[in-house]
Amino acid sequence: MKPIYRIAIVDDDDGVRQSLSSLVRALGHEVRTYPSATAFLADDGDSPDCLLTDIQMPQMDGDQLQAELLARGCTYPMIFMTGFPNDALRARVMARGARAFLVKPVDGDAMARCLGEALGIA
């Protein structure tokens, strides 16, 4: 039996959250969604096994979220998505341990592959 992993999805776009949630559930995982980085940080529940987050969000972006999580000692894998890629940002989040940096719209097969690799089940 395949293990069920807890996946957190942080994106300010409701449509993206819904479509990613459907994809991740179809892969057999538990999903929690958050409309912002601050909402994710405010959740006192169990840590996820993997975080999927947008980069461009109001209040706190994905880059800042990663920095805050690392400062808190969080070690779970993080996958970043953006509709506005740039090399400096990609280099920064990857240097801090991101497992993937994907350009929106993200292909479902690519997300499934990256998620499997991040969880060590690919």
Side-chain angles (χ1 to χ4, degrees), residues 49-50 77-79 99 113-122:
D49 295 305
C50 188
M78 299 177 202
I79 295 172
R99 297 297 179 94
R113 186 187 75 253
C114 289
L115 186 56
E117 290 171 359
L119 295 169
I121 58 175

Side-chain angles (χ1 to χ4, degrees), residues 21-66:
S21 178
S22 294
L23 171 67
V24 172
R25 281 191 175 96
L27 294 170
H29 305 301
E30 177 186 318
V31 178
R32 288 180 292 186
T33 63
Y34 304 87
S36 68
T38 54
F40 174 73
L41 291 171
D43 185 349
D44 290 333
D46 293 335
S47 292
D49 295 305
C50 188
L51 171 67
L52 310 179
T53 186
D54 189 14
I55 295 280
Q56 280 76 29
M57 296 182 287
Q59 299 169 359
M60 176 183 270
D61 65 25
D63 184 26
Q64 294 166 321
L65 174 60
Q66 181 190 37

